[in-house]
C-alpha cells in the first residue's frame, strides 16, 4: 500500500512580504503586517484590509464590497444546487435501474456543497448589512465559486493532471532560465489553487500568487494544513457508471511508495493574496517577473498590459501561457494573437521567444471528452517607457 507521513505546513512566515506591498487607498507601503491577524492595517492612512480566517488577505480597493458579492455568489450557487438536487430525485424515481448511480451523484454533490457552505460561513462573519444591500441585484460573477477541477488537476497527483502541469512548468522554466537574469520577485496572476506558483517559488527570492476567487485561495490555504477530500462529479461521457461520483483526495505531498518522513516544504518566500490583476498592490517597477497561465484572456488585455507595465522592472520578463479563449463577451477587447503582439509593442514589450504548446486542459482519465488547447506561449521583455 502506498502511504506517507505528513504534517501541516509551517506557514508562520508566509505572507511576510505583504508588509512591503502598497495600500490601494493612499499608495504608501502597508506595513503593520502580522501573521494570524484578522486584518492588515495601512501604517499611513489606517485603512483596514480583511484577513479571512486570519490567513487569507483581501488586498482589493473595496474588499468589503467584494466579500458581499462573493457571499451573494455562494448563496446563488447553493440555491441552484438545491434545485439541481431536486431534479436528481425526480430522475431517481424515473429509472430504478440507475438508482445507485444517481444516488452516488447526489451524495457527491451534497458532500462538496458542505465545503462551499463552510466558505459561506467564513465570509459572512466579515459582511455588513449595508454592503449586502448594495449588491442585492448585482449580475457580476467571479466564477469558480464551487469549482474543484483545478484542485483535482493541481493537487491530486493524477497522471493526466501531472502531464499538463509538466508541459506548463517545463515551458515556464525554459523561459525563466533563458531570459530572467534577476529573479528577484515574481507574481503569478490567476494563481488558482496555487500549484504553479508554489512549484516555482524556489526560482525567486520571493514569489507572489494572486487570484480573485475566494474559493481558490481558501483551497490553497486549507491544503497547507490538511488533506481535502471531495468528489469529481461526472454526469455524462464516462466509461463506467461507478465513476459518476469519484472520491478524490488533494494533498500538497506527492504519493510515496513506502513510509517515509517527508521534509516540510518551505513557505518562507511565498505570499498568496486575493487581488485584482488590474490593480496590483505594488509600487511601480518592483517585480522582476509577471507570469500569466490561462489568465491573459480573463480580463481585457489593454488594461492588463498597462498594469503589468506599471509594476514590472526595467528588463523584467512577462511570460504568457494559454489560449485566447476570452471569458467576456465584449468583442472590442477579444484580440487575436497579432493584435496582442501590436499591443505589447505599444506598452514597450518585446517578444523574445514564442511557440505553441498543446495541452489537454483539466482532463480526467474517467471521461470520454477532453479540451485540447493550442497554447500560445511567449516571453516578453519590458524595455521601459519610450
Amino acid at each position: 500500500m502506498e502511504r506517507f507521513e505528513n504534517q501541516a505546513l509551517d506557514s508562520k512566515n508566509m505572507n511576510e512580504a505583504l508588509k512591503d506591498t502598497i495600500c490601494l487607498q493612499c499608495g504608501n507601503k502597508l506595513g503593520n503586517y502580522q501573521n494570524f491577524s484578522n486584518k492588515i492595517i495601512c501604517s499611513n492612512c489606517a485603512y483596514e484590509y480583511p484577513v479571512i480566517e486570519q490567513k487569507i488577505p483581501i488586498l482589493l480597493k473595496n474588499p468589503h464590497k467584494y466579500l458581499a458579492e462573493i457571499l451573494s455568489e455562494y448563496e446563488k450557487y447553493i440555491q441552484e444546487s438545491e434545485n439541481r438536487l431536486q431534479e436528481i430525485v425526480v430522475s431517481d424515481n424515473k429509472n430504478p435501474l440507475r438508482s445507485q448511480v444517481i444516488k452516488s451523484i447526489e451524495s457527491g454533490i451534497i458532500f462538496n456543497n458542505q465545503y462551499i457552505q463552510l466558505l459561506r460561513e467564513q465570509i459572512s462573519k466579515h459582511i455588513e448589512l449595508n454592503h449586502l444591500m448594495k449588491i442585492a441585484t448585482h449580475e457580476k460573477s467571479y466564477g469558480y465559486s464551487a469549482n474543484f477541477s483545478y484542485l483535482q488537476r493541481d493537487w491530486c497527483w493524477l497522471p493526466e493532471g501531472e502531464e499538463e502541469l509538466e508541459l506548463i512548468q517545463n515551458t515556464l522554466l525554459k523561459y525563466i532560465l533563458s531570459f530572467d537574469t534577476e529573479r528577484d520577485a515574481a507574481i503569478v496572476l490567476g494563481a488558482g489553487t496555487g500549484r504553479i506558483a508554489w512549484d516555482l517559488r524556489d526560482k525567486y527570492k520571493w514569489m507572489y500568487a494572486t487570484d480573485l476567487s475566494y474559493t481558490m485561495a481558501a483551497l490553497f490555504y486549507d491544503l497547507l494544513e490538511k488533506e481535502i477530500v471531495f468528489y469529481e462529479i461526472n454526469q455524462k461521457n464516462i466509461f463506467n457508471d461507478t465513476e459518476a461520483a469519484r472520491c478524490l483526495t488533494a494533498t500538497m505531498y506527492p504519493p510515496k511508495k513506502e513510509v517515509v518522513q517527508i521534509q516540510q516544504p518551505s513557505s518562507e518566500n511565498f505570499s498568496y493574496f486575493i487581488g485584482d490583476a488590474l490593480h496590483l498592490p505594488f509600487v511601480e517597477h518592483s517585480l522582476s517577473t509577471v507570469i500569466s497561465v490561462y489568465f491573459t484572456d480573463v480580463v481585457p488585455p489593454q488594461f492588463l498590459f498597462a498594469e503589468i507595465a506599471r509594476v514590472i522592472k526595467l528588463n523584467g520578463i512577462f511570460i504568457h501561457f494559454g489560449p485566447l479563449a476570452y471569458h467576456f463577451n465584449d468583442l472590442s477587447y477579444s484580440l487575436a494573437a497579432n493584435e496582442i503582439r501590436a499591443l505589447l509593442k505599444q506598452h514597450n514589450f518585446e517578444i523574445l521567444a514564442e511557440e505553441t504548446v498543446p495541452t489537454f486542459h483539466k482532463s480526467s482519465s474517467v471521461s470520454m471528452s477532453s479540451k485540447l488547447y493550442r497554447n500560445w506561449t511567449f516571453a516578453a521583455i519590458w524595455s521601459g517607457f519610450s
Side-chain angles (χ1 to χ4, degrees), residues 315-332:
N315 297 322
I317 303 297
F318 169 47
I319 302 175
H320 159 86
F321 185 105
L324 299 178
Y326 294 112
H327 299 261
F328 46 82
N329 296 321
D330 192 335
L331 292 177
S332 64

Side-chain angles (χ1 to χ4, degrees), residues 255-284:
K256 300 293 180 180
K257 292 186 177 179
E258 65 274 342
V259 178
V260 294
Q261 182 67 40
I262 299 175
Q263 183 177 2
Q264 294 288 69
S266 172
S267 59
E268 292 184 354
N269 71 327
F270 192 85
S271 294
Y272 191 136
F273 62 91
I274 297 288
D276 181 352
L278 302 184
H279 303 283
L280 294 169
F282 299 101
V283 298
E284 294 181 356

Side-chain angles (χ1 to χ4, degrees), residues 357-368:
V357 180
T359 60
F360 286 102
H361 184 49
K362 297 190 297 182
S363 62
S364 170
S365 63
V366 305
S367 175
M368 295 180 182

Side-chain angles (χ1 to χ4, degrees), residues 182-202:
E182 184 174 359
R183 282 188 254 162
D184 180 22
I187 188 168
V188 173
L189 305 176
T193 57
R195 173 72 185 275
I196 291 170
W198 183 257
D199 285 354
L200 290 174
R201 72 193 187 284
D202 63 341

Side-chain angles (χ1 to χ4, degrees), residues 204-303:
Y204 290 90
K205 294 178 183 176
W206 200 275
M207 172 61 75
Y208 294 96
T210 189
D211 203 296
L212 199 55
S213 166
Y214 181 76
T215 304
M216 296 294 108
L219 287 168
F220 172 79
Y221 277 96
D222 280 349
L223 280 168
L224 290 173
E225 301 173 2
K226 61 187 178 183
E227 296 178 339
I228 299 176
V229 177
F230 65 101
Y231 281 85
E232 175 193 4
I233 306 298
N234 300 295
Q235 298 186 35
K236 56 185 177 180
N237 277 333
I238 52 176
F239 293 98
N240 195 311
D241 62 3
T242 61
E243 295 163 339
R246 181 166 66 144
C247 186
L248 296 172
T249 300
T251 172
M252 289 191 122
Y253 297 86
K256 300 293 180 180
K257 292 186 177 179
E258 65 274 342
V259 178
V260 294
Q261 182 67 40
I262 299 175
Q263 183 177 2
Q264 294 288 69
S266 172
S267 59
E268 292 184 354
N269 71 327
F270 192 85
S271 294
Y272 191 136
F273 62 91
I274 297 288
D276 181 352
L278 302 184
H279 303 283
L280 294 169
F282 299 101
V283 298
E284 294 181 356
H285 315 306
S286 57
L287 301 175
S288 59
T289 315
V290 177
I291 299 171
S292 169
V293 178
Y294 299 136
F295 181 77
T296 303
D297 54 3
V298 172
V299 295
Q302 287 93 325
F303 304 129

